[in-house]
Amino acid sequence: MREREAPPVPTRTVGRRRRFTRRDAGVIGVLLGIPVLLDVFVVWGPTLASVVLSFTSWDGIGDISWVGTDNYENLFTNYPAFWPAVRHNVLWLAFLGLVSTPFGLLLAVLVDRGVRFSRFYQSALYMPVVLSLAVVGFIAQLVFSRDQGALNAVLGGGTNPTDWLGDPDLNIWMILLAAAWRHTGYVMILYLAGLKAVDPALKEAAAIDGASERQTFFRVVLPTLRPVNIIVGVITVIEALRAFDIVYAVNKGRNGLELLSVLVTDNIIGEASRIGFGSAIAVVLLLVSMGFVVTFLVQEMRGEKNR
Amino acid sequence: MAQVSFDGSAVPGGRVSRRSLLRGAAAGAGAVALPAVLAACGSGPGGDGRTIRLGSNSSDPVPKKAFAAAFAAYEKQSKEGRKVKVNTVDHNTFQENINRYLQGKPDDVFMWFAGYRMQFFAKKGLLHDISDIWGSYEGFSPALKAQSTGEDGKQYLTPYYYYPWAVFHRRSVFEERGYQAPGTLDEYIALARQMQKDKLVPIAFCDKDGWPAMGTFDYINMRTNGYEFHRRLMAGEEAWTSNEVRQVFDTWRSLLPYCQPAANGRTWQEAATSLQKKQAGMAVFGLPHPGQQFPEEEQDDIDFFPFPVINPEHGQDAVEAPIDGFLLAKKSKSLKQDKVMESAKDLLKWLSTGEAEDIYLAGDPNNIAVSDRADTSKYTALQKKAVELVSGAKQISQFLDRDTRPDFSSVVMIPAIQSFINDPKDVDGLVNGIERQKKTIFAAD
């Protein structure tokens, strides 16, 4: 990027300084204090507590005893569900990011260009977005169930039909399809809004300059969609990391559908909770999420400077 | 949780000034805090000590109604005018929150399960010892007493009903084809082969929910190694890498070719349906399971035989029959009052009678009474047979997930059995994995 001349920094004139009355200060204090307190108690408190508890063997009843990094060692070496869960989370991210999101963009472009029945497609594709992912999971079971599912009824399958949801090599893909069904519509609607806002004059100018449609899209339209791209990227990452409800609805996130979020719940919720161990998994999930959040923030701040 | 509506803090007047908005916001914040304050005040029952609060996990309509009938009968017969205030929570939610429930503000009496799952909380000091009234209970077998007793030798549970597990089938199918109920494993396999020839799936099989296949594991284990081994294995005292356990998995593997394939994708409802549709010949289930998938006019066609003998030394001594019952929560505030305690114990005593069980079972015929004083004359043929099965048992087990630490059964055993069903060949890897995890979990105490 070319260096631009730094714009003159407006120096703030310290002219009219307003004094706050005691009452105003109180109001500000309360108004700022409530969110800060909420933030501390609802967000930071539990987060720090998780980190602390991850070094204990607390079972939710009785005394808390320190075990050092035992939970983490146990997690990495001795917990068969952990690495599959990590892989599935990465797969989830990759699938939503590399398949579902571009597909949503493609659909948005098609609908935006006004193919026939575009309104119908638009609403049909948007429909699943209003469903909760848990509901999408229930629908997926109606479709993919081996014995009574719609898909096997259509395919026939003979005496030994495919076990879409029970086969651990297969079910994650089926669930990803179901999750993408919803995600694609979500992404499409965001991009549609963005595309509507693109100044047509830009496209005309590109056409006059002799740009092909492809070039126009990738060189002119897509860069103007930058804010939307960021939102879509953030949503995709969030959706991938918080994925939980759909796999839990299908088979409690077991047998091929393990995710970090499920492992946390499995260990913490229940009669005899392994809160210490579950917290260790939660901390891993936290670190992964922080990785993305920090990367994103750094990018954003750099972008802000360059703008 | 109570939802707080902010409508109450409406802004007065037409123009919204900053101050009135603030006042509204403050009122709103107060409204958020208020329920918590109210809850802290505690809503204990009236001071008369005659109201017993009861936490129920029976959220399904049939048992919920049957329990309501039983409590109504109790209130009616109570000369002191005692009342039962039932607090019903969704079954799974209750189960998942039991830990926090018992430590927080539990009801006086609550419903729970017998065996290890009761002992676990007894050991943590969350249950009231009821040995004093247990002595006066009548009509309970020694096996029942054992299942109501904590590790310290005191009783904590008033058992109410149970539902045995067995191999279920359709009577008409067996009659039509001339099948005989098998007594031994060899006969079982021979029957399965015959069914295969007759184009039936011999054994309906499911484990999508993670627990149904545990019944098969338990039976093969108890028939091979006996109840005592089952108990020690579940208590973490035996190694999963032992030859005994390997043998269980080996036997199970030899049965898998006769089981419905792809069990990990099938719920128990779907498996029971294939039994009902005569696609499958047999299935290892608990008493309520086939009943719920068979239409009313076909209920009489459900039949069962006990799981076949594997090792003659243990025969068919043990029966898997989970027991549900009532317990007193130690942390209940109102139980600290002698009068409430008296009322609660009075309720438990009444619930231990055959009569009380009759009233419940009239509304929910998918279980059988624990007391031998219960009136069995109105039982269905299937229930009568179930009573025979249980009363002939030398030992009663409670199902894998009730006989061991809940975290071990859910975090280790469910995935382990599912992976065995996916890949039955790798028994070594399987039992080594279970043993390693068992050690860390059982060491946590």
Side-chain angles (χ1 to χ4, degrees):
Chain A
M1 204 169 277
R2 259 186 303 146
E3 286 255 343
R4 278 189 297 179
E5 237 181 69
V9 182
T11 42
R12 183 161 285 172
T13 44
V14 198
R16 223 159 43 96
R17 190 189 242 161
R18 236 184 106 187
R19 282 229 164 165
F20 293 118
T21 63
R22 198 172 266 206
R23 189 174 177 148
D24 286 339
V27 166
I28 290 171
V30 169
L31 283 188
L32 282 178
I34 290 175
V36 167
L37 277 181
L38 278 178
D39 197 39
V40 167
F41 281 109
V42 182
V43 180
W44 285 102
T47 310
L48 287 177
S50 295
V51 175
V52 172
L53 284 173
S54 72
F55 297 102
T56 71
S57 66
W58 197 39
D59 61 356
I61 312 177
D63 303 332
I64 299 179
S65 54
W66 297 97
V67 294
T69 54
D70 279 9
N71 285 330
Y72 291 96
E73 275 174 49
N74 195 3
L75 183 61
F76 294 134
T77 58
N78 198 16
Y79 190 41
F82 178 69
W83 291 110
V86 172
R87 275 200 299 277
H88 293 159
N89 264 96
V90 172
L91 184 66
W92 209 278
L93 194 63
F95 191 84
L96 288 192
L98 300 177
V99 179
S100 180
T101 304
F103 190 56
L105 175 61
L106 176 71
L107 291 174
V109 172
L110 290 180
V111 169
D112 186 55
R113 289 179 60 184
V115 289
R116 227 200 283 190
F117 308 124
S118 65
R119 296 250 156 197
F120 170 75
Y121 292 135
Q122 192 177 331
S123 34
L125 289 165
Y126 186 66
M127 202 91 89
V129 182
V130 302
L131 301 173
S132 119
L133 257 187
V135 177
V136 174
F138 292 126
I139 296 173
Q141 295 194 66
L142 295 178
V143 176
F144 295 129
S145 158
R146 178 184 181 270
D147 298 348
Q148 290 160 18
L151 184 61
N152 279 341
V154 172
L155 293 177
T159 48
N160 200 4
T162 315
D163 186 17
W164 301 108
L165 293 181
D167 184 340
D169 298 330
L170 213 58
N171 53 10
I172 186 92
W173 298 105
M174 296 301 121
I175 295 305
L176 280 173
L177 270 184
W181 177 57
R182 181 170 172 275
H183 188 73
T184 302
Y186 203 174
V187 169
M188 178 197 74
I189 214 79
L190 288 172
Y191 272 123
L192 259 183
L195 285 169
K196 296 265 188 253
V198 174
D199 189 350
L202 283 177
K203 285 193 227 170
E204 277 164 29
I208 290 167
D209 285 350
S212 71
E213 212 159 320
R214 236 183 104 99
Q215 284 171 325
T216 312
F217 180 74
F218 283 106
R219 300 271 172 85
V220 177
V221 178
L222 202 56
T224 57
L225 289 177
R226 186 172 181 268
V228 185
N229 284 334
I230 288 168
I231 290 173
V232 167
V234 171
I235 284 175
T236 304
V237 171
I238 290 174
E239 289 276 315
L241 289 177
R242 77 167 184 193
F244 171 79
D245 25 17
I246 185 166
V247 294
Y248 205 75
V250 169
N251 66 3
K252 298 243 158 80
R254 295 174 185 135
N255 186 35
L257 297 186
E258 292 84 359
L259 289 174
L260 286 174
S261 53
V262 172
L263 301 189
V264 175
T265 334
D266 260 3
N267 281 283
I268 286 187
I269 305 273
E271 297 163 41
S273 327
R274 301 165 81 191
I275 290 183
F277 189 64
S279 300
I281 308 175
V283 170
V284 172
L285 187 57
L286 176 75
L287 290 178
V288 175
S289 326
M290 290 292 273
F292 283 103
V293 171
V294 169
T295 317
F296 166 72
L297 281 180
V298 167
Q299 289 260 322
E300 259 309 88
M301 284 171 181
R302 277 200 194 131
E304 205 72 25
K305 265 187 214 155
N306 291 341
R307 213 171 282 159
Chain B
M1 267 310 253
Q3 288 273 322
V4 180
S5 132
F6 281 84
D7 297 349
S9 57
V11 182
R15 257 183 40 217
V16 184
S17 77
R18 193 188 62 181
R19 293 243 150 71
S20 61
L21 193 68
L22 283 178
R23 225 175 286 140
V32 174
L34 199 60
V37 175
L38 281 180
C41 290
S43 51
D48 57 1
R50 284 193 218 112
T51 308
I52 307 150
R53 291 181 309 152
L54 188 143
S56 162
N57 59 1
S58 282
S59 51
D60 293 343
V62 171
K64 192 177 175 186
K65 219 174 133 200
F67 272 118
F71 299 138
Y74 169 75
E75 290 179 352
K76 209 173 151 202
Q77 62 84 47
S78 169
K79 288 186 193 75
E80 291 83 5
R82 293 193 166 108
K83 292 266 175 281
V84 182
K85 198 172 151 242
V86 184
N87 166 23
T88 307
V89 177
D90 166 68
H91 191 84
N92 284 328
T93 313
F94 191 90
Q95 219 152 303
E96 282 164 2
N97 290 317
I98 185 75
N99 204 329
R100 272 160 284 276
Y101 172 77
L102 288 180
Q103 292 183 81
K105 295 191 192 70
D107 301 293
D108 310 330
V109 182
F110 70 100
M111 293 181 193
W112 194 240
F113 316 120
Y116 199 100
R117 255 160 126 173
M118 171 271 294
Q119 289 165 352
F120 179 78
F121 293 111
K123 204 162 77 185
K124 302 270 180 193
L126 295 170
L127 306 178
H128 257 297
D129 168 20
I130 54 166
S131 308
D132 53 337
I133 53 171
W134 227 98
S136 68
Y137 289 174
E138 289 170 353
F140 288 167
S141 66
L144 272 174
K145 182 160 187 175
Q147 291 296 344
S148 308
T149 304
E151 283 170 10
D152 54 2
K154 292 172 181 163
Q155 282 77 46
Y156 293 93
L157 171 106
T158 302
Y160 198 56
Y161 62 68
Y162 45 11
Y163 52 98
W165 280 64
V167 187
F168 284 81
H169 60 86
R170 287 191 73 134
R171 184 179 300 141
S172 61
V173 172
F174 270 47
E175 277 166 9
E176 260 167 52
R177 313 240 187 192
Y179 297 150
Q180 291 294 319
T184 64
L185 187 68
D186 291 339
E187 288 170 22
Y188 190 46
I189 292 178
L191 174 61
R193 284 217 181 98
Q194 184 58 42
M195 285 179 172
Q196 248 171 1
K197 272 186 209 147
D198 295 341
K199 302 277 176 240
L200 276 173
V201 175
I203 303 167
F205 194 41
C206 55
D207 202 31
K208 190 175 170 200
D209 304 305
W211 55 266
M214 288 176 170
T216 306
F217 175 86
D218 284 347
Y219 265 132
I220 299 177
N221 184 23
M222 289 191 295
R223 295 291 185 256
T224 311
N225 304 311
Y227 172 79
E228 198 41 42
F229 182 82
H230 162 85
R231 196 197 60 73
R232 288 200 309 272
L233 182 68
M234 293 301 131
E237 296 162 11
E238 294 280 347
W240 284 80
T241 45
S242 65
N243 281 329
E244 282 94 337
V245 177
R246 280 171 207 268
Q247 213 183 333
V248 172
F249 283 113
D250 288 342
T251 308
W252 199 354
R253 189 173 49 221
S254 72
L255 285 173
L256 282 180
Y258 308 106
C259 293
Q260 230 168 350
N264 284 334
R266 188 177 299 106
T267 61
W268 66 261
Q269 288 92 340
E270 288 172 304
T273 304
S274 61
L275 189 69
Q276 186 265 331
K277 285 186 177 161
K278 304 190 182 179
Q279 291 162 347
M282 313 177 268
V284 179
F285 275 137
L287 187 59
H289 301 134
Q292 291 178 30
Q293 298 305 310
F294 277 58
E296 194 139 349
E297 64 275 14
E298 290 175 22
Q299 291 282 341
D300 291 343
D301 205 28
I302 308 174
D303 200 359
F304 68 80
F305 55 84
F307 198 89
V309 175
I310 295 177
N311 178 353
E313 192 190 325
H314 303 293
Q316 293 173 322
D317 286 356
V319 167
E320 181 122 294
I323 301 167
D324 291 359
F326 294 91
L327 306 94
L328 297 183
K330 192 131 198 179
K331 292 264 162 112
S332 158
K333 280 232 173 68
S334 41
L335 267 190
K336 296 217 161 58
Q337 305 167 30
D338 292 344
K339 272 195 168 172
V340 179
M341 178 59 99
E342 199 183 306
S343 299
K345 283 189 173 171
D346 183 64
L347 172 67
L348 290 188
K349 261 190 228 165
W350 184 80
L351 286 166
S352 76
T353 61
E355 182 205 350
E357 292 171 16
D358 290 339
I359 296 168
Y360 175 80
L361 291 168
D364 180 12
N366 288 319
N367 298 295
I368 54 173
V370 281
S371 170
D372 62 17
R373 305 287 157 92
D375 176 19
T376 54
S377 62
K378 283 193 198 117
Y379 274 11
T380 61
L382 194 68
Q383 277 176 304
K384 280 182 184 151
K385 202 169 168 182
V387 173
E388 229 170 88
L389 178 71
V390 185
S391 53
K394 284 201 189 121
Q395 301 103 4
I396 293 175
S397 64
Q398 291 296 294
F399 207 72
L400 198 154
D401 69 358
R402 296 188 180 199
D403 276 338
T404 189
R405 288 179 63 107
D407 44 5
F408 175 67
S409 78
S410 66
V411 177
V412 181
M413 283 316 291
I414 288 178
I417 290 180
Q418 285 185 332
S419 78
F420 170 73
I421 293 170
N422 284 332
D423 177 19
K425 284 192 199 79
D426 184 23
V427 172
D428 270 342
L430 183 78
V431 292
N432 284 328
I434 298 175
E435 180 65 17
R436 271 206 316 273
Q437 293 182 75
K438 181 206 90 179
K439 279 190 181 140
T440 62
I441 286 184
F442 279 86
D445 264 354

